[in-house]
Amino acid sequence: QVQLVESGGGLVQAGDSLRLSCAASGRTFSSYAMGWFRQAPGKEREFVAAIGWSGSSADYADSVKGRFTISRDNAKNTAYLQMNRLKPVDTAVYYCAVTFRIRVPRDPYEYDYWGQGTQVTVSS
Protein backbone atom coordinates (compact mmCIF):
# COMPACT_ATOMS: atom_id res chain seq x y z
CA GLN A 1 0.00 0.00 0.00
CA VAL A 2 1.08 3.55 -0.75
CA GLN A 3 -0.62 6.66 0.55
CA LEU A 4 -0.21 9.91 -1.35
CA VAL A 5 -1.10 13.42 -0.28
CA GLU A 6 -0.84 16.36 -2.67
CA SER A 7 -0.50 19.97 -1.61
CA GLY A 8 0.44 23.33 -3.04
CA GLY A 9 -2.50 24.07 -5.27
CA GLY A 10 -4.27 27.39 -5.33
CA LEU A 11 -5.56 30.34 -7.32
CA VAL A 12 -2.96 32.26 -9.32
CA GLN A 13 -2.84 34.60 -12.28
CA ALA A 14 -1.59 33.73 -15.73
CA GLY A 15 2.19 33.84 -15.82
CA ASP A 16 2.59 32.95 -12.15
CA SER A 17 4.25 29.87 -10.70
CA LEU A 18 3.20 27.14 -8.29
CA ARG A 19 4.97 24.15 -6.83
CA LEU A 20 2.93 21.08 -6.06
CA SER A 21 4.14 18.50 -3.59
CA CYS A 22 3.21 14.85 -3.23
CA ALA A 23 4.10 13.23 0.08
CA ALA A 24 4.20 9.45 0.03
CA SER A 25 4.06 6.88 2.79
CA GLY A 26 3.89 3.13 2.87
CA ARG A 27 6.25 1.17 0.63
CA THR A 28 9.82 2.30 0.04
CA PHE A 29 9.58 5.57 -1.87
CA SER A 30 12.57 4.89 -4.11
CA SER A 31 11.06 1.63 -5.37
CA TYR A 32 8.50 3.20 -7.70
CA ALA A 33 8.10 5.77 -10.42
CA MET A 34 5.74 8.68 -9.95
CA GLY A 35 3.52 10.67 -12.22
CA TRP A 36 1.44 13.80 -12.21
CA PHE A 37 -1.90 13.95 -13.99
CA ARG A 38 -4.62 16.55 -14.22
CA GLN A 39 -8.31 16.60 -14.87
CA ALA A 40 -10.33 19.62 -15.89
CA PRO A 41 -14.14 19.69 -15.56
CA GLY A 42 -15.78 17.64 -18.26
CA LYS A 43 -12.47 16.26 -19.53
CA GLU A 44 -10.59 13.01 -19.13
CA ARG A 45 -7.63 12.71 -16.83
CA GLU A 46 -4.50 13.56 -18.78
CA PHE A 47 -0.81 12.88 -18.32
CA VAL A 48 1.34 15.81 -17.25
CA ALA A 49 4.74 14.45 -16.23
CA ALA A 50 6.43 11.39 -14.77
CA ILE A 51 9.75 10.56 -13.18
CA GLY A 52 11.61 7.32 -12.67
CA TRP A 53 12.50 5.90 -9.27
CA SER A 54 15.98 7.37 -9.24
CA GLY A 55 14.98 10.74 -10.65
CA SER A 56 17.29 10.37 -13.63
CA SER A 57 14.53 9.94 -16.19
CA ALA A 58 11.55 12.20 -16.75
CA ASP A 59 8.81 12.56 -19.33
CA TYR A 60 6.52 15.50 -20.04
CA ALA A 61 3.38 16.14 -22.00
CA ASP A 62 4.02 18.47 -24.92
CA SER A 63 1.61 21.00 -23.44
CA VAL A 64 3.80 21.54 -20.37
CA LYS A 65 7.28 20.84 -21.69
CA GLY A 66 9.58 23.76 -20.96
CA ARG A 67 7.23 25.20 -18.32
CA PHE A 68 6.83 22.37 -15.79
CA THR A 69 9.54 20.40 -14.02
CA ILE A 70 9.03 17.16 -12.13
CA SER A 71 11.46 16.13 -9.42
CA ARG A 72 11.68 13.92 -6.38
CA ASP A 73 13.52 13.81 -3.08
CA ASN A 74 13.76 10.19 -2.02
CA ALA A 75 15.13 11.19 1.37
CA LYS A 76 11.93 13.14 2.03
CA ASN A 77 9.56 10.68 0.32
CA THR A 78 8.23 13.56 -1.71
CA ALA A 79 7.75 14.35 -5.37
CA TYR A 80 7.31 17.83 -6.78
CA LEU A 81 5.85 19.53 -9.81
CA GLN A 82 7.23 23.01 -10.40
CA MET A 83 4.84 24.87 -12.67
CA ASN A 84 6.02 28.09 -14.28
CA ARG A 85 4.35 30.48 -16.72
CA LEU A 86 0.95 29.08 -15.87
CA LYS A 87 -1.89 29.51 -18.32
CA PRO A 88 -5.67 29.41 -17.83
CA VAL A 89 -5.71 26.09 -19.75
CA ASP A 90 -3.64 24.60 -16.92
CA THR A 91 -6.64 24.93 -14.61
CA ALA A 92 -7.50 21.48 -13.29
CA VAL A 93 -7.32 19.16 -10.33
CA TYR A 94 -3.80 17.78 -10.21
CA TYR A 95 -3.15 14.24 -9.00
CA CYS A 96 0.05 12.41 -8.21
CA ALA A 97 0.25 8.68 -8.74
CA VAL A 98 2.58 5.75 -8.27
CA THR A 99 3.51 2.94 -10.62
CA PHE A 100 5.65 -0.10 -9.92
CA ARG A 101 6.41 -0.64 -13.58
CA ILE A 102 10.02 -0.33 -14.64
CA ARG A 103 9.34 2.11 -17.43
CA VAL A 104 7.58 5.42 -16.86
CA PRO A 105 4.13 5.20 -18.44
CA ARG A 106 1.76 7.93 -19.59
CA ASP A 107 -1.38 5.82 -19.37
CA PRO A 108 -3.19 6.50 -16.08
CA TYR A 109 -4.40 2.90 -16.05
CA GLU A 110 -0.80 1.79 -15.52
CA TYR A 111 -0.61 3.60 -12.19
CA ASP A 112 -1.40 1.74 -9.01
CA TYR A 113 -2.05 4.34 -6.32
CA TRP A 114 -3.44 7.86 -6.47
CA GLY A 115 -3.65 10.89 -4.24
CA GLN A 116 -6.83 12.83 -3.60
CA GLY A 117 -5.85 15.75 -5.86
CA THR A 118 -5.20 19.44 -5.41
CA GLN A 119 -6.99 22.21 -7.29
CA VAL A 120 -5.01 24.60 -9.46
CA THR A 121 -6.89 27.56 -10.89
CA VAL A 122 -5.22 30.03 -13.23
CA SER A 123 -7.07 33.24 -13.95
CA SER A 124 -6.50 35.31 -17.08
Side-chain angles (χ1 to χ4, degrees), residues 111-123:
Y111 284 77
D112 303 290
Y113 295 96
W114 293 81
Q116 83 289 349
T118 186
Q119 177 70 47
V120 172
T121 303
V122 185
S123 63

Side-chain angles (χ1 to χ4, degrees), residues 23-87:
S25 60
R27 292 179 61 171
T28 303
F29 184 73
S30 59
S31 66
Y32 44 80
M34 299 195 70
W36 284 96
F37 293 78
R38 65 187 182 187
Q39 188 166 19
K43 295 189 176 181
E44 294 187 351
R45 191 166 298 188
E46 67 170 349
F47 170 78
V48 175
I51 189 167
W53 66 270
S54 68
S56 61
S57 62
D59 186 26
Y60 296 92
D62 288 345
S63 59
V64 307
K65 198 172 294 183
R67 299 189 298 124
F68 291 11
T69 303
I70 189 171
S71 62
R72 64 189 296 161
D73 185 338
N74 287 348
K76 296 183 178 180
N77 291 353
T78 302
Y80 304 96
L81 185 67
Q82 178 67 44
M83 305 186 294
N84 298 329
R85 290 180 283 135
L86 283 161
K87 306 174 181 179

Side-chain angles (χ1 to χ4, degrees), residues 99-120:
T99 179
F100 296 103
R101 290 156 179 80
I102 295 176
R103 60 182 179 84
V104 181
R106 291 189 170 199
D107 187 341
Y109 290 99
E110 296 194 63
Y111 284 77
D112 303 290
Y113 295 96
W114 293 81
Q116 83 289 349
T118 186
Q119 177 70 47
V120 172

